[in-house]
Amino acid sequence: SYDIAKQMADETDEQIISYIVSKKNIKVEAGAGSGKTYSLHKVIDWFVANKMKEFKKQKRQIACITYTNAAVEVIKQRIGTIKEIVPSTIHSFAWENIKQFPSPLKDYVKDLSLVKEEEFLQVKSVNYTLGVRYIENNVLYLYHDDVIRLFCKFLDSPKFRLLLEHKYAAILIDEYQDSYSEIMDKLLKHFVDIQTRLQICLFGDSWQTIYQTNNACGEVKDANLKVISKKVNFRSAQKIVELLNRLRPELPQITAIDDCNGDICVVDCNDYIG
């Protein structure tokens, strides 16, 4: 089972890389245990092996957005001191790209009414450190969600989007399903739908959305995204995979595990009152 599964997984990764080479915008849909993170790292490795000289000459980078600081550290350890690969959380990525424009940043703070008008009169500059909104010594410190809203506002600017295209060759988004809906909508509208030189690559599983109450986008559908499904499960035994395939027939998997012992018991709480 493992040999067959590994061959299928390798063929899928080759397909992903072929789309990367042809500069297509992609979405890798991968269930739990299918090696999504492995595929993401394979893409990073391909960029490192094939594009670093070109990116250094052009002064362009690859942004790799993940949703935990721990995941950022894993990628940093993998790439070492390669400056052209930039792993970060979405908040760090957003702030890094808007902080260099203090004048429109301050204007957008006013446009979005992030603080009361009488408080805004005190503000001479804007900063983002602890993720708590307060004003001290004429500096407005932003809340985490403020950074996201401001970044979305910047994305409406053609000049800002052009600067992103010049700065980044690609943006890789891990766990895409937990991206903020507004950011994902704007990335699709401004980069994917008109197929700019900035490549958007999404990796995730819409069934694993864990921030639904915090405006997560969940499943992403767009005719201009090339969809690659990972159909191997390296984590679960045959009986579990058979059940998964009944629950989710649109993403069938095979298992890489020969062991098939045990039983599956499904318990629901639909009639529970309490």
Side-chain angles (χ1 to χ4, degrees):
S1 292
Y2 178 83
D3 291 341
I4 295 172
K6 182 65 166 63
Q7 181 179 346
M8 286 184 61
D10 288 344
E11 290 172 354
T12 301
D13 287 334
E14 288 174 7
Q15 183 184 19
I16 293 170
I17 295 299
S18 71
Y19 284 137
I20 296 293
V21 172
S22 58
K23 299 183 179 180
K24 303 293 185 183
N25 298 302
I26 67 169
K27 180 183 78 166
V28 177
E29 190 74 17
S34 62
K36 169 188 61 63
T37 302
Y38 179 83
S39 294
L40 172 64
H41 288 166
K42 290 277 282 187
V43 169
I44 294 173
D45 291 344
W46 183 87
F47 277 118
V48 170
N50 297 276
K51 289 291 185 178
M52 289 303 97
K53 288 184 179 180
E54 177 183 332
F55 291 162
K56 285 179 181 179
K57 186 176 180 180
Q58 296 175 346
K59 296 183 179 180
R60 300 183 83 198
Q61 298 175 321
I62 299 294
C64 186
I65 298 173
T66 70
Y67 282 83
T68 65
N69 289 319
V72 169
E73 290 305 314
V74 169
I75 297 174
K76 284 182 178 179
Q77 291 174 12
R78 188 180 185 89
I79 63 174
T81 59
I82 300 174
K83 296 180 180 179
E84 286 70 30
I85 307 293
V86 184
S88 66
T89 63
I90 184 59
H91 294 87
S92 297
F93 175 79
W95 177 246
E96 187 64 29
N97 284 286
I98 66 177
K99 69 179 183 180
Q100 55 191 305
F101 306 106
S103 182
L105 180 58
K106 187 178 175 183
D107 291 340
Y108 290 159
V109 165
K110 183 178 182 180
D111 292 344
L112 294 172
S113 301
L114 297 183
V115 294
K116 296 177 181 178
E117 189 170 348
E118 59 271 21
E119 294 176 325
F120 182 77
L121 296 175
Q122 307 174 37
V123 176
K124 293 183 179 179
S125 63
V126 180
N127 204 347
Y128 173 59
T129 53
L130 301 176
V132 179
R133 187 194 301 152
Y134 64 97
I135 298 175
E136 184 176 80
N137 298 326
N138 301 115
V139 178
L140 169 62
Y141 292 90
L142 297 171
Y143 175 53
H144 293 308
D145 286 355
D146 295 342
V147 175
I148 299 301
R149 293 180 65 191
L150 288 164
F151 182 62
C152 289
K153 188 76 172 175
F154 271 93
L155 283 173
D156 287 331
S157 164
K159 183 177 180 181
F160 179 75
R161 296 197 302 270
L162 188 61
L163 290 170
L164 283 183
E165 288 181 45
H166 283 293
K167 184 175 181 179
Y168 299 103
I171 297 177
L172 316 179
I173 302 181
D174 191 22
E175 307 295 358
Y176 81 80
Q177 72 276 358
D178 290 318
S179 300
Y180 289 89
S181 294
E182 189 176 3
I183 287 182
M184 185 59 68
D185 289 345
K186 290 183 184 296
L187 291 177
L188 295 175
K189 176 182 177 181
H190 295 307
F191 299 105
V192 174
D193 289 346
I194 58 177
Q195 301 186 37
T196 66
R197 65 196 293 245
L198 172 57
Q199 197 171 6
I200 304 296
C201 304
L202 311 179
F203 298 79
D205 178 11
S206 59
W207 276 41
Q208 294 189 65
T209 307
I210 59 175
Y211 295 113
Q212 289 174 315
T213 58
N214 197 27
N215 297 316
C217 65
E219 185 177 11
V220 170
K221 292 183 178 180
D222 192 287
N224 294 299
L225 281 173
K226 294 290 185 181
V227 180
I228 307 102
S229 298
K230 300 209 68 177
K231 297 182 177 180
V232 173
N233 194 312
F234 289 96
R235 185 180 301 164
S236 301
Q238 181 65 37
K239 286 190 176 183
I240 296 176
V241 173
E242 288 174 356
L243 177 62
L244 291 174
N245 290 342
R246 291 173 64 186
L247 291 170
R248 195 179 186 183
E250 70 276 10
L251 188 63
Q253 296 181 327
I254 69 166
T255 182
I257 299 174
D258 289 317
D259 181 19
C260 196
N261 295 327
D263 296 298
I264 291 176
C265 178
V266 179
V267 180
D268 73 73
C269 305
N270 293 341
D271 58 351
Y272 175 75
I273 300 174

